[in-house]
Amino acid sequence: MVSFSRSKVPAVGVEEEYQLVDPTSGRLIPKCSEVLRQLGREPEADIQRELHLNQIEMASNVCETLDEVRDNLQRVRKLLIDAAANTGAALVSAGTNPFPLPESETLTPKFRYQAMGQQFQHIARSLFIFGCHVHVDMQDKTLGLHVMNQTRRWLPLLQALTANSPFWNGQDTGYASYRREVWVQWPMAGAPPHFQDLDDYEACLSELTKSGAIKDESFIYWDIRLSVKVPTIEYRCADVITSLQHCVGHVGLVRALVMQTCDDIHAGREYPPIRSHLLSFAIWHAARYGVSADLLDPLTCEKVTATESAARMLEYIAPSLAASGDRECVEAFVQSVVRDGCGADRQRMTMQTEGNLAAVVQAAIKETANDTSPAAC
């Protein structure tokens, strides 16, 4: 089994799904095709349509360092902000839009998405949610499966740190990440099960395909999955993050978790399987409260403060952060959220101060663009 050595820090990539909104009203508008036509040169990322035309997605280049991640995100966000402005739209990086859902048909006219709309009906038509996905290089699929098993433990904390979707369909939901609650309606979404080995994993995929639950492996949307197109392990639990600097910190955090887990596996240190129902509750609890309440460690069944949970994780990944050189950036992200609140807390603060949903979106527009000039983490 291959393990990451201390001299080899794995490459990473990040995907962000953005809202396209009216800059005055803050409501979603279906401008994706127009924005794509505005891109006069090939950007340093893969920019494409998503399920709905009021969404646009970027996938970064393969990056070796967090400086490269930051640089790529800065340039692509700036490119899309300018392109959107030329169409009368604005770009927002947040997990949901707070206004009532669009009433007109906005599904992207692409066979995959049209087929999803036909099969899943209202779930697909109302899936106006926006996530952040982190890819970490994983050449060995067997190792990747064990990493997926072991890092399930950290999904609640990852969810809490990145919760950024308190509003839905015109209302405060009471959740820090309501995006999570919308997303888990999808049959193949949520935390992955624990697999005994690669044969068990392949048997699961075979059964799902044979039963018609999925067309192929690319229709698996677990919070952690082994990517089909590229040899990576992909973490999909996060709401898209408004602060670019926080997004960069999140990427570094995920990479360190993967690196540290690989070292544990190589050394024969593996956790016992975590029960799926317990893990689901722990993630739900994190989505409900973010960092404002105690978090459940699904391995030990302990409830601990967000501060303590974050401290445990940072202590665990400290050797890998030292190896990657990412300690300062990752710690700054984690400590900032634990101290000042997650994205959902900032949105609610704006609502309390300004008293209207348009101000919430306009604040997110500004924060999405705020980090698009070069800066250190």
Side-chain angles (χ1 to χ4, degrees), residues 100-106 128:
L101 303 182
E103 296 180 357
S104 58
E105 176 65 61
T106 62
F128 297 100

Side-chain angles (χ1 to χ4, degrees), residues 84-339:
N86 289 337
T87 72
L91 197 76
V92 171
S93 183
T96 55
N97 183 275
F99 283 98
L101 303 182
E103 296 180 357
S104 58
E105 176 65 61
T106 62
L107 280 175
T108 297
K110 180 178 177 182
F111 177 77
R112 180 185 180 101
Y113 297 143
Q114 294 294 315
M116 290 164 70
Q118 180 62 35
Q119 182 175 8
F120 295 106
Q121 292 292 311
H122 184 69
I123 292 177
R125 290 194 297 269
S126 62
L127 205 67
F128 297 100
I129 59 174
F130 306 82
C132 173
H133 309 153
V134 178
H135 289 259
V136 182
D137 181 47
M138 183 60 63
Q139 300 292 325
D140 184 328
K141 197 167 187 177
T142 298
L143 176 61
L145 183 69
H146 286 282
V147 172
M148 185 166 74
N149 283 339
Q150 297 297 293
T151 53
R152 291 162 78 238
R153 175 190 184 181
W154 302 105
L155 285 173
L157 181 55
L158 292 176
Q159 178 67 83
L161 291 170
T162 61
N164 192 26
S165 51
F167 300 105
W168 178 256
N169 202 23
Q171 297 182 341
D172 188 326
T173 64
Y175 282 77
S177 175
Y178 196 69
R179 168 193 165 272
R180 170 81 189 183
E181 301 312 300
V182 176
W183 180 229
V184 292
Q185 297 176 83
W186 209 261
M188 295 303 139
H194 180 99
F195 292 101
Q196 294 299 317
D197 50 33
L198 196 57
D199 288 342
D200 185 28
Y201 174 77
E202 297 290 353
C204 175
L205 296 181
S206 177
E207 291 167 4
L208 290 171
T209 305
K210 185 177 180 180
S211 69
I214 59 174
K215 181 179 178 181
D216 56 53
E217 190 175 351
S218 70
F219 286 84
I220 291 288
Y221 296 114
W222 293 326
D223 293 337
I224 312 170
R225 70 177 182 180
L226 302 179
S227 184
V228 179
K229 296 180 180 179
V230 290
T232 64
I233 185 168
E234 180 184 5
Y235 289 75
R236 304 170 49 87
C237 62
D239 291 2
V240 70
I241 302 167
T242 311
S243 164
L244 186 148
Q245 295 293 75
H246 281 189
C247 180
V248 174
H250 172 63
V251 173
L253 171 58
V254 170
R255 173 161 69 178
L257 284 172
V258 171
M259 291 173 64
Q260 197 63 47
T261 303
C262 285
D263 286 346
D264 280 359
I265 292 167
H266 184 70
R269 299 186 297 267
E270 295 193 49
Y271 307 135
I274 294 171
R275 295 189 185 277
S276 292
H277 286 87
L278 180 64
L279 180 58
S280 293
F281 172 75
I283 299 172
W284 172 85
H285 191 271
R288 168 67 175 85
Y289 296 103
V291 294
S292 67
D294 290 350
L295 295 170
L296 176 65
D297 184 335
L299 180 66
T300 65
C301 296
E302 294 177 277
K303 277 191 175 181
V304 297
T305 65
T307 301
E308 174 62 22
S309 181
R312 290 182 182 185
M313 181 192 61
L314 289 173
E315 181 180 9
Y316 170 66
I317 63 176
S320 292
L321 290 177
S324 65
D326 296 338
R327 181 183 63 81
E328 183 177 356
C329 184
V330 172
E331 287 186 354
F333 158 58
V334 173
Q335 292 168 359
S336 171
V337 174
V338 170
R339 181 185 65 244

Side-chain angles (χ1 to χ4, degrees), residues 348-377:
R348 284 196 172 105
M349 189 177 301
T350 301
M351 183 63 183
Q352 290 169 5
T353 302
E354 302 296 333
N356 65 86
L357 295 176
V360 173
V361 179
Q362 287 159 4
I365 292 171
K366 292 178 182 178
E367 189 178 356
T368 299
N370 190 45
D371 294 321
T372 54
S373 59
C377 194

